[in-house]
């Protein structure tokens, strides 16, 4: 009987409910699975790009050659994993172009056979071979280096074999301080540049034969355990460059949150649908109980019925997802700007299903417990059937599993906790607002007639104050939906703003300008119509003491480190470039403390120091701290006077540490300057003529660099936008389901009002007032809370600055309001057309 | 007061077509209480729905107080019902979000009647529910709900009151008390009553009984 009732009769009798339930589940889960697949693919693609940047699966490097013991430890650690290995040494050195008799700073990259494991070296002609000398394109253009030209590198003279047109490892290196040349590692040793104590980057790169994330993490942990010196750095593809790492982290977190949003919205829909259905079916369930079916058997039957629907949905989903993804992959590739693989690995899609099933089932727990608490025998005698009430702890399994799932999807306890906490807060605030609002309305209408000022409005107000938990639930669902949609759009905007590059970006970044060259160079720039900007001194320094105590780097943990800890480690370097100036650039803002007083530091006090916010946090420094720097053997002391926020993406010369002009001006230094954007010809002319006049000065073509970065940012932005809209679509479908259901529940009330003399127009007005007020208030609250959440999540998770984008608030508000009102009208259509005849006894 | 001529109504199409009313002719006099009885499926409620303007006949004419309601548009019918008719349903059908008082107030304020709140209060008092006036339908018993429904139906002093099995959902004692109240209110106001019931005893309390069988009056 049970099987027949739950699987045959019910489904035959209520095809609309089961179809709607299946559709809601399909949308929510398909969204998540789809997003997971796209996310996986995008991450895979970005990871591949990151691999290209690093050129390997993992690199272990230091600013010195690894000690023999360290090299032995590495050999031991990698031994169990079949792998390939090469070494790269990067150093900066002056080289001489013998034909031109010019000397300049270059970055020398010395490589071994098999370099690069990932990515490629594209030459203007011919193929890259590790035993030759190559120069980068920018150096060739600047210096007019041709094939077979002789370059003197240290004590060695080598012939240029070719020009590297594109080095995929250069992509996002940020400011590579000088043009690059490539030569074999064996030749570098002959140059005499590598002497004991020489500094540079000495990296050991590995490619695993059978790469897995687990293996890499194991290796990483082992290295941390065996090599205690924090000067030895482990670099994985995802953090091969700060920017790439940041983009990937941002993207991963954002996509995970988006996926979760789609899922939550659909689960709200599932809860709502099942609640309506169970209420409608309560009489029959009570009858079943009367005929001998225990409550436990009824609940088991419902679980079995739901599980059946769920797995049918999953099968349908898998059957749909493969061909759909094959069709969509090229489209997504176009939109994302990332070439996606059309292959879907069913197994990877399947990993999400147990989580989805668990969560979907847990959302039904309060309903099933409510059913267990229903006095079924008494129900048949009652004039109106009602289910047992939910209790708060009924939702605990769902809440707990949602928290776990948040952390699982965002791959971070911090992100998961923050997101989950924010959701709880939104939930509590929405409940408070809806209950408070109802109380206020109740007071307003107390003792008054129905004409407020119209009868439609009067009835609507009563509906709003007396619909009880159904209204609260609708309000919550709508407010949560609006919150999440607003959150997506706000975060998207904040990330876009963060990644947006200044249109007044510099064209050239000029560095290594000697003090005596400043004046002639500035004059020269003026003469050719390209005046220099942001001329800034740069001094190499090392933080030695804090408050007269030797600065000690925090010890790192040698086991598992989260993304956040890795970031910490990256930032916590005590060797850095500092500058002195008495003003702030457009890209700086003091967030605590005071600006430097004008006129520089007097002799009777220590000079003031300004610190960049994130660096000060990572180094545990705060206002009032006395810092002692070592500047080429001379101690320099100062007091932290303020903390600054710096927008690094402006590409202006900015520093972690800025010192008040004082005796530091006498320290050995070079200068940085930028050439603002202007005609390309002027830039080229300036570059060429400056190289001739000042051969030691180096240039970075910021436009080219920014172009590469912009490309990546645009790809990331597009990926985020696509996912935002996917979640938005899921949210809107659920909102439609909710409003349709709410209006449908009123069918008999509406038919009755019609029998009493309400015209269809007046009924529609009544619905519009009631649901319009509900939608608008929930929407307004949701959009505000979404904005608030975006600020918190953006600041805490993505390190973004606060912002208000009215467009991103008003646009979804307008769109959602119109959609919701259209939804009310559309879903009220049938109810308004209902014939009151159906109220009669034999109908 | 009401005249029905050759009223026909069928449902379905083709072979599934069922003729529910087969040419009904009927005249109801002002102040009369008419019981419409018949077995389930005889067409009682269908006839009631046509008389109350809740549904449209296939053919035939219905005149109420000289107004030909059978040819009215839905809008006109709604307006006419609001001014001249009251209906009591078997399932009570109170607006779930309105209190007992507000349910009675509803038809009065719809017509913007003067002193609507006072009238509604008096009506609730007359049905013995003044102490329950601020309760929602979910907080009322079946008998109380039906008494509110009766107060609501007579609130506008309709020319004709339709009652569809009004005691059908109540226990015998409550049903009797509710019907007593209904007849009293009808008598007090001189309202014409058309009562659909299958209860012969209840029907006998009406001034006239008509039998409906297989869509025809006997």
């Amino acid at each position: 009987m049970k099987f027949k009732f739950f699987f045959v009769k019910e489904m035959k009798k209520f095809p609309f409910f089961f179809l709607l339930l299946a559709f809601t589940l399909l949308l929510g889960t398909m969204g998540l699975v789809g997003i997971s697949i796209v996310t996986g693919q995008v991450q895979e693609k970005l990871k591949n790009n990151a691999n290209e940047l690093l050129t390997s699966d993992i690199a272990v490097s230091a600013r010195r050659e690894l000690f023999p013991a360290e090299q032995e430890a590495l050999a031991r650690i990698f031994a169990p994993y079949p792998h390939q290995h090469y070494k790269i040494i990067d150093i900066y050195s002056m080289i001489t172009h013998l034909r031109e008799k010019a000397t300049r700073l270059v970055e020398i990259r010395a490589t071994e056979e098999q370099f690069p494991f990932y990515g490629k070296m594209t030459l203007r002609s011919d193929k890259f071979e590790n035993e030759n000398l190559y120069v980068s394109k920018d150096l060739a253009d600047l210096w007019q280096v041709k094939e077979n030209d002789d370059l003197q590198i240290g004590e060695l003279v080598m012939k240029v074999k070719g020009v590297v047109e594109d080095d995929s490892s250069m992509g996002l290196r940020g400011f590579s301080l000088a043009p690059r040349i490539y030569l074999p590692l064996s030749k570098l040793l002959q140059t005499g540049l590598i002497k004991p104590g020489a500094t540079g980057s000495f990296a050991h790169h590995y490619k695993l034969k059978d790469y897995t994330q687990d293996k890499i993490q194991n290796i990483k942990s082992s290295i941390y355990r065996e090599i205690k010196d924090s000067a030895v750095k482990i670099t994985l593809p995802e953090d091969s460059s700060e920017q790439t790492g940041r983009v990937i982290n941002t993207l991963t977190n954002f996509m995970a949150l988006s996926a979760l949003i789609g899922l939550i919205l659909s689960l709200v829909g599932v809860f709502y649908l099942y609640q309506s259905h169970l209420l409608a079916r309560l009489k029959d369930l009570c009858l079943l109980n009367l005929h001998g079916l225990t409550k436990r058997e009824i609940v088991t039957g419902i679980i079995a019925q739901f599980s059946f629907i769920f797995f049918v949905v999953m099968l349908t989903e898998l059957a749909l997802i493969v061909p759909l993804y094959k069709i969509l992959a090229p489209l997504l590739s176009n939109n994302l700007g990332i070439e996606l693989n059309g292959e879907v690995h069913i197994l990877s899609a399947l990993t999400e299903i147990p989580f989805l099933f668990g969560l979907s089932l847990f959302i039904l727990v309060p309903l099933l417990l409510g059913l267990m608490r229903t006095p079924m025998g008494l129900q048949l005698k009652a004039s109106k059937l009602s289910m047992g009430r939910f209790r708060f702890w009924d939702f605990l399994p769902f809440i707990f599993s949602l928290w776990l799932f948040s952390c699982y999807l965002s791959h971070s306890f911090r992100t998961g906790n923050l997101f989950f906490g924010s959701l709880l807060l939104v939930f509590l605030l929405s409940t408070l607002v809806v209950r408070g609002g109802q109380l206020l309305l109740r007071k307003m209408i107390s003792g008054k007639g129905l004409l407020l000022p119209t009868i439609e409005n009067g009835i609507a107000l009563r509906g709003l104050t007396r619909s009880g938990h159904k209204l609260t639930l609708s309000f919550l669902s709508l407010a949560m939906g609006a919150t999440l949609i607003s959150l997506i759009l706000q975060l998207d905007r904040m990330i876009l703003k963060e990644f947006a590059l200044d249109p007044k970006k510099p064209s050239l970044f000029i560095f290594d300008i000697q003090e005596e060259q400043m004046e002639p160079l500035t004059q020269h720039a003026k003469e050719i119509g390209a005046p220099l900007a942001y001329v800034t001194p740069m001094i190499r320094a090392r933080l030695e003491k804090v408050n007269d105590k030797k600065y000690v780097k925090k010890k790192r943990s040698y086991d598992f480190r989260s993304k956040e800890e890795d970031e910490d480690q990256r930032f916590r370097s005590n060797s850095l470039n500092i500058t002195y100036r008495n003003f702030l650039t457009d890209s700086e803002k003091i967030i605590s403390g005071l600006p430097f007083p004008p006129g520089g530091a007097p002799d009777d006090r220590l000079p003031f120091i300004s610190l960049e916010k994130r660096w000060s946090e990572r180094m545990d420094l705060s206002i009032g701290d006395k810092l002692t720097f070592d500047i080429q053997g001379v101690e320099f002391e100062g007091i932290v006077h303020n903390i600054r926020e710096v927008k690094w993406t402006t590409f202006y010369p900015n520093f972690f540490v800025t010192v008040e002009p004082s005796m530091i001006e006498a320290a050995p230094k070079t200068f940085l300057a930028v050439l603002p954007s202007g005609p390309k010809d002027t830039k080229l002319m300036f570059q060429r003529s400056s190289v001739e006049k000042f051969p030691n000065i180096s240039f970075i073509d910021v436009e080219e660099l920014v172009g590469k970065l912009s490309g990546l940012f645009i790809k990331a932005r597009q990926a985020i936008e696509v996912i935002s809209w996917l979640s938005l679509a899921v949210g809107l479908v659920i909102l439609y389901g909710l409003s349709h259901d709410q209006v449908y529940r009123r069918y008999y009330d509406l038919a009755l009002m019609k029998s009493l003399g309400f015209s269809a127009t007046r009924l529609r007005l009544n619905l519009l007032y009631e649901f319009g007020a509900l939608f608008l208030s929930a929407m307004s609250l949701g959009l505000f809370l979404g904005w608030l959440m975006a600020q918190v999540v953006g600041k805490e998770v993505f390190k973004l600055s606060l912002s208000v984008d009215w467009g991103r608030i008003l646009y979804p508000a307008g769109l959602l309001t119109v959609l919701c009102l259209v939804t009310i009208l559309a879903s009220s259509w049938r109810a308004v057309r209902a014939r009151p005849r159906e109220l009669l006894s034999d109908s | 007061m009401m005249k029905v001529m050759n009223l026909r109504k069928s449902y379905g199409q083709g072979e599934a077509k069922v003729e529910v009313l087969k040419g009904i002719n009927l005249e109801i006099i002002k102040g009369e209480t008419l019981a419409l009885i018949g077995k389930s499926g005889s067409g009682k409620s269908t006839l009631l729905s046509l008389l109350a303007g809740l549904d449209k006949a296939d053919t035939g004419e219905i005149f109420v107080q000289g107004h030909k309601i059978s040819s009215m548009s839905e809008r006109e019918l709604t307006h006419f019902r609001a001014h001249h008719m009251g209906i009591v349903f078997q399932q009570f059908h109170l607006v779930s979000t309105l209190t007992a008082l507000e349910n009675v107030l509803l038809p009065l304020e719809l017509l913007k009647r003067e002193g609507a709140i006072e009238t509604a209060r008096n009506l609730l008092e007359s049905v013995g529910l003044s102490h329950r006036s601020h309760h929602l339908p979910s907080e009322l018993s079946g008998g109380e709900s039906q008494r509110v429904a009766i107060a609501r139906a007579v609130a506008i002093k309709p020319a004709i009151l339709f009652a569809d099995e009004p005691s059908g959902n109540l226990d015998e004692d409550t049903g009797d008390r509710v019907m007593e109240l209904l007849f009293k209110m009808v008598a007090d106001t001189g309202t014409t009553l058309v009562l659909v019931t299958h209860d012969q005893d209840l029907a006998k309390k009406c001034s006239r009984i008509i039998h409906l069988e297989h869509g025809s009056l006997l």
Side-chain angles (χ1 to χ4, degrees), chain A residues 45 99 143 177 219 239 271 281 430 512 676 832:
Chain A
K45 191 71 195 172
R99 178 168 53 84
W143 244 2
L177 284 176
I219 290 170
D239 46 33
F271 178 83
R281 303 298 299 128
S430 303
D512 223 3
V832 172

Short mmCIF file of all heavy atoms in Angstrom, two decimals, chain A residues 45 99 143 177 219 239 271 281 430 512 676 832:
data_model
loop_
_atom_site.label_atom_id
_atom_site.label_comp_id
_atom_site.label_asym_id
_atom_site.label_seq_id
_atom_site.Cartn_x
_atom_site.Cartn_y
_atom_site.Cartn_z
N LYS A 45 42.29 25.78 -16.42
CA LYS A 45 42.94 26.61 -17.44
C LYS A 45 43.88 27.62 -16.78
O LYS A 45 45.02 27.79 -17.20
CB LYS A 45 41.84 27.35 -18.23
CG LYS A 45 42.34 28.03 -19.47
CD LYS A 45 42.70 27.03 -20.53
CE LYS A 45 43.53 27.71 -21.62
NZ LYS A 45 44.06 26.74 -22.56
N ARG A 99 79.12 45.64 -29.95
CA ARG A 99 79.06 46.42 -31.20
C ARG A 99 78.65 47.87 -30.91
O ARG A 99 79.23 48.80 -31.41
CB ARG A 99 78.05 45.77 -32.17
CG ARG A 99 77.88 46.54 -33.47
CD ARG A 99 77.11 45.72 -34.51
NE ARG A 99 75.84 45.22 -34.02
CZ ARG A 99 74.72 45.94 -34.02
NH1 ARG A 99 74.72 47.17 -34.46
NH2 ARG A 99 73.61 45.42 -33.57
N TRP A 143 67.96 47.98 -27.85
CA TRP A 143 69.41 47.98 -28.10
C TRP A 143 69.76 47.62 -29.53
O TRP A 143 70.91 47.58 -29.89
CB TRP A 143 70.04 46.94 -27.16
CG TRP A 143 70.96 47.50 -26.15
CD1 TRP A 143 71.27 48.81 -25.97
CD2 TRP A 143 71.74 46.75 -25.24
NE1 TRP A 143 72.16 48.93 -24.97
CE2 TRP A 143 72.48 47.69 -24.48
CE3 TRP A 143 71.90 45.40 -24.93
CZ2 TRP A 143 73.37 47.33 -23.48
CZ3 TRP A 143 72.77 45.04 -23.94
CH2 TRP A 143 73.50 46.00 -23.21
N LEU A 177 62.26 43.81 -13.33
CA LEU A 177 62.98 45.09 -13.26
C LEU A 177 63.88 45.40 -14.46
O LEU A 177 64.34 46.50 -14.62
CB LEU A 177 63.79 45.15 -11.97
CG LEU A 177 62.95 45.44 -10.72
CD1 LEU A 177 63.80 45.39 -9.48
CD2 LEU A 177 62.23 46.78 -10.82
N ILE A 219 54.49 16.86 -0.49
CA ILE A 219 55.87 17.28 -0.73
C ILE A 219 56.12 18.61 -0.02
O ILE A 219 57.14 18.80 0.65
CB ILE A 219 56.13 17.39 -2.25
CG1 ILE A 219 56.15 15.98 -2.87
CG2 ILE A 219 57.41 18.14 -2.55
CD1 ILE A 219 56.15 15.94 -4.38
N ASP A 239 50.63 30.14 -6.76
CA ASP A 239 51.19 31.37 -6.19
C ASP A 239 52.50 31.74 -6.88
O ASP A 239 53.35 32.39 -6.32
CB ASP A 239 51.38 31.24 -4.68
CG ASP A 239 52.02 29.94 -4.25
OD1 ASP A 239 52.87 29.43 -5.02
OD2 ASP A 239 51.68 29.44 -3.19
N PHE A 271 12.01 23.41 0.03
CA PHE A 271 11.34 23.42 1.33
C PHE A 271 9.92 23.96 1.18
O PHE A 271 8.95 23.38 1.68
CB PHE A 271 12.13 24.31 2.30
CG PHE A 271 11.50 24.44 3.66
CD1 PHE A 271 11.71 23.47 4.62
CD2 PHE A 271 10.68 25.52 3.98
CE1 PHE A 271 11.12 23.57 5.87
CE2 PHE A 271 10.09 25.63 5.23
CZ PHE A 271 10.32 24.65 6.17
N ARG A 281 -1.75 17.62 1.39
CA ARG A 281 -1.94 16.18 1.43
C ARG A 281 -2.17 15.66 2.85
O ARG A 281 -2.28 14.45 3.06
CB ARG A 281 -0.69 15.46 0.86
CG ARG A 281 -0.32 15.85 -0.53
CD ARG A 281 -1.40 15.52 -1.54
NE ARG A 281 -1.70 14.10 -1.61
CZ ARG A 281 -2.92 13.60 -1.52
NH1 ARG A 281 -3.97 14.39 -1.33
NH2 ARG A 281 -3.13 12.29 -1.61
N SER A 430 16.45 39.63 8.88
CA SER A 430 15.21 39.60 8.09
C SER A 430 14.05 39.22 9.00
O SER A 430 12.97 39.80 8.90
CB SER A 430 15.31 38.59 6.95
OG SER A 430 16.39 38.91 6.15
N ASP A 512 66.53 52.87 -12.04
CA ASP A 512 67.99 52.82 -12.03
C ASP A 512 68.61 54.14 -12.50
O ASP A 512 69.69 54.17 -13.07
CB ASP A 512 68.49 51.67 -12.93
CG ASP A 512 69.62 50.91 -12.26
OD1 ASP A 512 69.94 51.25 -11.11
OD2 ASP A 512 70.15 49.98 -12.88
N PRO A 676 54.19 59.44 -18.40
CA PRO A 676 52.74 59.25 -18.54
C PRO A 676 52.37 58.86 -19.96
O PRO A 676 53.13 59.09 -20.90
CB PRO A 676 52.18 60.63 -18.18
CG PRO A 676 53.27 61.34 -17.47
CD PRO A 676 54.55 60.78 -18.01
N VAL A 832 -7.44 34.97 -10.23
CA VAL A 832 -8.38 36.07 -10.46
C VAL A 832 -9.48 35.64 -11.43
O VAL A 832 -10.62 36.06 -11.33
CB VAL A 832 -7.61 37.31 -10.97
CG1 VAL A 832 -8.57 38.41 -11.40
CG2 VAL A 832 -6.71 37.84 -9.86
#
